[in-house]
């Protein structure tokens, strides 16, 4: 196991921002994860686990501890003998998420086709309960294998034990930093139909098919990639709009009463997502635009994507502090106009 010193972290993140890791190690096996965690514990050094770096903002000072990059690879598939037609994919945490989606779609297994084109690794998906275009990984996760840093032992959790909610799990809330995900098992439906729940996706399908045959999983995945591309939410080399961490804020959930007041303050009805009875989820992007921050907004090297208001971007050589300053200005403006406090979505490291 090679522990490197002062490794720049910016290149391991999609934002391309941030200082170095005091120590850095890549783990290619569970044994190496155990050894790296022990190394940090012996030296009483904080440990941070890095996956694909697609949902992170690293501070300019970097991380004064050990950054462990999870490089475990491999994916196997087996039919669930108790549920014919259902496939269990056991996927190592370091596998690229989008390649796995591609494989599942190729195998004609349904459940993650709307999650095509999302950057990052498999290990990150249960942590923030990745979701898009009408699907969430919580619905297909069968089991999550983790290394418990506190107890120094491996453990496996069922989906119910993961505490999933919108962009949330026990791994990023109550048990933050306690577990290192090493493997995720997904239950997918062989020969299943695609999920067409998201209005924008449904509309695009309707236009494409014009009343024809039901779309295949591959068609839906391709369409999702196209929509993500049009929003700068697909990683494309040289595209400054995707030098981001995806959505920088969560979509706030408010009461019907608050939604009504927001409509008053904006003098128009906000678009809304369904939520629990009595509540509405509002698009943060819309609130931000109403508060005076349009697409393409620039503040020094930090900015807002020219294709999606919810993505803060590094316009080139941005410092983390510039991104955070822009984020606080946006939060303050939304709070002032609507009384809604936006929650930051990506993980902040070293602040
Ligand atoms: N909107 C604007 N301006 C924009 C973009 C969107 O006003 O520039 C408004 C529109 O009314 C639009 C609505 O926001 O109809 C929703 O936009 P979109 O469909 O792009 O979804 P989102 O709420 O902005 C969420 C997720 C994304 C996910 C998409 C699709 C969160 C925080 N973000 O974005 O996830 O890809 O839905 O399901 O829940 C991420 O988490 O990093 C992420 C990219």
């Amino acid at each position: 196991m090679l522990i490197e010193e002062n490794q720049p972290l910016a290149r391991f993140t999609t934002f391309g921002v941030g200082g170095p890791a005091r120590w850095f190690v890549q783990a290619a096996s569970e044994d190496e994860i155990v050894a790296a965690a022990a190394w940090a514990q012996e030296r009483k050094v904080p440990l941070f686990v890095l996956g694909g770096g697609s949902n992170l903002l690293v501070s300019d000072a970097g991380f004064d501890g050990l950054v462990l990059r999870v490089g475990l690879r491999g994916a196997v598939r087996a039919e669930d003998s108790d549920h014919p037609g259902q496939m269990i994919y056991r996927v190592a945490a370091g596998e690229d998420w989008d390649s796995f989606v591609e494989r599942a779609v190729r195998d004609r297994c349904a459940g993650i086709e709307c999650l095509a084109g999302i950057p990052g690794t498999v290990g990150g998906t249960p942590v923030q309960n990745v979701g898009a275009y009408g699907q969430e990984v919580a619905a297909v996760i069968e089991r999550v294998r983790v290394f418990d840093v506190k107890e120094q032992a491996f453990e496996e959790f069922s989906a119910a034990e993961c505490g999933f909610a919108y962009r949330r799990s026990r791994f990023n809330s109550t048990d933050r930093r306690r577990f290192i995900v090493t493997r995720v098992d997904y239950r997918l439906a062989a020969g299943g139909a695609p999920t067409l729940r998201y209005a924008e996706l449904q509309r695009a399908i309707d236009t494409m098919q014009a009343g024809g045959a039901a779309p295949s999983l591959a068609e839906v995945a391709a369409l999702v990639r196209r929509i993500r591309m049009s929003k700068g939410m697909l990683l494309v080399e040289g595209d400054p709009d995707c030098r981001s961490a995806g959505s920088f804020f969560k979509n706030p959930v408010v009461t019907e009463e608050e939604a009504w007041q927001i409509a008053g303050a904006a003098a128009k009805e906000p678009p809304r997502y369904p939520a629990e009875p009595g509540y509405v989820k509002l698009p943060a992007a819309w609130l931000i635009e109403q508060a005076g921050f349009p697409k393409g907004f620039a503040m020094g090297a930090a900015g807002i994507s020219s294709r999606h208001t919810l993505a803060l971007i590094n316009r080139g050589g941005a410092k983390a502090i510039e991104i955070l300053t822009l984020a606080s200005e946006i939060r303050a403006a939304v709070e002032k106009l609507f009384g809604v406090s936006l929650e930051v979505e990506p993980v902040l490291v070293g602040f």
Side-chain angles (χ1 to χ4, degrees):
M1 194 178 60
L2 172 68
I3 304 225
E4 294 167 281
E5 287 194 58
N6 296 318
Q7 273 297 307
L9 289 174
R11 64 194 165 103
F12 294 116
T13 72
T14 51
F15 240 136
V17 170
R22 177 71 185 83
W23 292 283
F24 182 87
V25 66
Q26 305 239 31
S29 66
E30 288 195 340
D31 286 347
E32 287 184 357
I33 286 187
V34 175
W39 187 95
Q41 203 147 43
E42 276 156 27
R43 286 160 187 78
K44 298 196 167 36
V45 153
L47 177 69
F48 180 79
V49 180
L50 179 71
S54 58
N55 198 42
L56 284 189
L57 179 61
V58 178
S59 79
D60 297 314
F63 184 72
D64 191 14
L66 177 66
V67 170
L68 165 64
R69 190 160 187 247
V70 176
L72 281 71
R73 306 302 297 266
V76 293
R77 176 174 90 137
E79 187 165 14
D80 179 354
S81 47
D82 296 334
H83 301 93
Q86 296 197 5
M87 293 291 175
I88 304 290
Y89 285 80
R90 310 202 117 171
V91 193
E95 284 289 331
D96 175 59
W97 169 256
D98 196 30
S99 310
F100 168 50
V101 172
E102 226 169 277
R103 171 176 172 189
V105 165
R106 217 184 312 120
D107 293 349
R108 296 204 164 74
C109 284
I112 52 176
E113 61 284 352
C114 301
L115 303 177
I118 295 179
T121 54
V122 160
T125 61
V127 176
Q128 55 147 332
N129 183 17
V130 162
Y133 300 102
Q135 288 179 333
E136 264 184 2
V137 290
V140 290
I141 285 179
E142 175 75 4
R143 197 159 291 284
V144 179
R145 181 170 165 86
V146 298
F147 180 67
D148 181 341
V149 175
K150 192 166 150 207
E151 302 294 335
Q152 308 218 7
F154 286 92
E155 207 178 329
E156 296 190 7
F157 295 122
S158 67
E161 289 169 320
C162 291
F164 290 126
Y166 166 61
R167 290 296 186 278
R168 188 184 154 105
S169 72
R170 69 189 294 170
F171 310 117
N172 69 3
S173 57
T174 47
D175 287 323
R176 211 160 70 90
R177 299 211 170 170
R178 175 166 171 184
F179 299 110
I180 301 172
V181 176
T182 61
R183 191 194 82 216
V184 186
D185 298 351
Y186 302 87
R187 175 185 292 276
L188 303 181
T195 301
L196 298 174
R197 199 177 293 140
Y198 204 78
E200 186 181 9
L201 185 59
Q202 181 67 66
R203 273 197 303 274
I205 294 277
D206 290 346
T207 319
M208 195 175 83
Q209 313 282 131
S216 67
L217 296 174
E219 283 167 331
V220 169
L223 197 54
V224 166
R225 283 204 181 85
R226 213 176 313 146
I227 297 174
R228 293 192 72 93
M229 170 88 167
S230 72
K231 297 186 182 190
M233 295 277 186
L234 194 70
L235 288 189
V236 175
E237 192 71 45
D239 177 356
D241 276 339
C242 65
R243 234 184 279 126
S244 78
S247 302
F248 199 84
F249 299 103
K250 291 186 192 175
N251 287 330
V253 176
V254 303
T255 61
E256 286 283 358
E257 169 76 20
E258 286 167 319
W260 184 78
Q261 282 162 3
I262 286 166
K268 62 175 133 172
E269 275 295 321
R272 33 168 83 196
Y273 290 107
E276 280 133 67
Y279 291 90
V280 233
K281 197 199 264 182
L282 301 178
W286 186 88
L287 298 172
I288 292 169
E289 280 176 19
Q290 302 304 310
F293 291 89
K295 292 186 185 71
F297 182 89
M299 205 172 89
I304 293 177
S305 158
S306 70
R307 284 177 277 164
H308 201 298
T309 319
L310 202 46
L312 299 196
I313 59 162
N314 166 11
R315 302 177 63 239
K319 295 276 174 218
I321 187 71
E322 293 179 274
I323 306 277
L324 276 193
T325 305
L326 173 58
S328 351
E329 297 220 348
I330 291 172
R331 286 190 82 228
V334 169
E335 172 103 50
K336 187 162 168 233
L337 184 58
F338 297 120
V340 172
S341 155
L342 292 181
E343 227 180 290
V344 169
E345 204 271 329
V347 176
L348 303 180
V349 184
F351 287 94

